[in-house]
Amino acid sequence: MSEDTVSIDSARADADDHGHVAVAVTTLDAELIEGPSLATPDVAEYALWLGDDALVLAQQLGAWISRAPELEEDVALGNVALDLIGHARSLLHYAGTATNRTEDDLAYWRTEPDFRSLHIVEQPNGDFAHTIARQFVVSHYVFELYSRLRASADQTLAAIAAKAVKEVDYHRDHATQWMLRLAQGTDESRRRMITALSDLWPYVDEIFRDEPLIDRLEGIAVRPSSLRPAFDAAIAPVFAEAEVELPNGFVASGGGRIGKHSEHLAFLLAEMQVLTRAHPGASW
Amino acid sequence: MTTPGDSASEIWPLWEVFVRSNRGLSHVHVGSLHAPDETLAVRNARDLYTRRGEGVSVWVVPAAAITTSDPDAKGAFFESSAGKNYRHASYYSKSEGVKHL
């Protein structure tokens, strides 16, 4: 790809309001700017946790575009991905205020040991059932998390959570609807759904582990372990309706919050970052 | 005339989507989509047709449940009003403040 193809074409960008996407500019909503604008190093680290989860998952879901079982589902997964990109932008923008870095610096110029995302979000898309199982777990967890983060003493985090929680509520519903249909559809769809859940379940434990960072952010962060009962209570009726047993296998070692990742993340980041690294500073 | 989704090879039936853009206005047909059932049809409609703030309410109707006029009978159905302007209320003056006539 030549430099020309990624240069700014202002005439085209201004041509209509439908296709114009100003990805180069970070504009947080007014309510996100009014609070304390600079994150402390600990708050920034916590914002990285949540922002990286959203960013990695969004990148994963983007890979479904043109590959989903139906055109309508292409759009549905794309919409979820776009919501997550929005959450990632707000969170990474805020995280970057601690070290004077932009959201793009954080998204495109860190390598995998610097990423703080959970192992579950870097698990491969697999078949549609695996993606739905991953969405089901993550969106139920994030919904419980953002619901509580709305009351954070950090006003910026609280504002981001308040805005995002409504979208995550829909993601949760989308995944639940599909889990029920796959589990209760054909023999083949049920087999795949059960396989996907048992493949993903080892990575559920890591989500609810408390790291030392959480002790330093009392009243600001939500303690992951405190979310487990609400998570379990929310998913139980879905498993019951789907007539699927809760998976009960081994527990993966995790370590995503301290930058220890599986081999999957590096490939995902390579694809996500290649263009920016080939053309530093390019915008389009 | 066959409806997409009716044959066994097409699993997901067709739905027609109606969106109300504002309180007080009617639901307007915006397009169609495929979905396996009514619950997912509403969700697909939300994803396909309301993502840029177009709506406050969505209806989905199975396309098979809609009875249409026969395109071949256009003449018999619609042509008789043409050329008979006494059928139109165009000679009345409109009252002030009536916006949607």
Side-chain angles (χ1 to χ4, degrees), chain A residues 173-251:
Chain A
D173 174 74
H174 172 265
T176 299
Q177 294 295 337
W178 271 117
M179 186 168 141
L180 291 173
R181 279 162 183 76
L182 293 174
Q184 308 234 285
T186 63
D187 289 345
E188 177 68 6
S189 73
R190 180 171 177 80
R191 183 187 67 73
R192 285 177 181 245
M193 192 68 241
I194 290 173
T195 303
L197 287 166
S198 81
D199 285 351
L200 265 297
W201 223 254
Y203 304 97
V204 172
D205 191 75
E206 182 198 10
I207 299 172
F208 303 102
R209 277 182 214 157
D210 297 333
E211 298 288 334
L213 174 70
I214 295 299
D215 296 329
R216 302 197 297 270
L217 291 175
E218 195 65 45
I220 292 173
V222 178
R223 186 166 285 277
S225 60
S226 73
L227 297 171
R228 189 67 199 251
F231 173 83
D232 287 339
I235 65 166
V238 185
F239 275 84
E241 194 179 340
E243 295 175 348
V244 174
E245 298 276 317
L246 266 175
N248 185 19
F250 76 98
V251 168

Side-chain angles (χ1 to χ4, degrees), chain A residues 36-40 44 92-102 106:
Chain A
S37 53
L38 294 184
T40 67
L92 293 185
H93 174 84
Y94 188 42
T97 60
T99 46
N100 199 25
R101 285 182 290 180
T102 68
L106 291 170

Side-chain angles (χ1 to χ4, degrees), chain A residues 18 69-73 75-76 79-80 82-83 167 170 173-174 177-178 181, chain B residues 11-12 32-40 42-44 46-48 51-52:
Chain A
H18 195 67
E70 293 282 341
L71 177 68
E72 283 77 1
E73 202 49 38
V75 180
N79 280 336
V80 174
L82 287 174
D83 288 344
E167 294 170 351
Y170 186 78
D173 174 74
H174 172 265
Q177 294 295 337
W178 271 117
R181 279 162 183 76
Chain B
I11 315 267
W12 286 14
S32 51
L33 54 78
H34 290 94
D37 54 52
E38 65 271 21
T39 311
L40 283 179
V42 173
R43 283 157 179 79
N44 287 349
R46 177 263 194 194
D47 280 331
L48 285 167
R51 282 288 297 183
R52 296 184 185 87

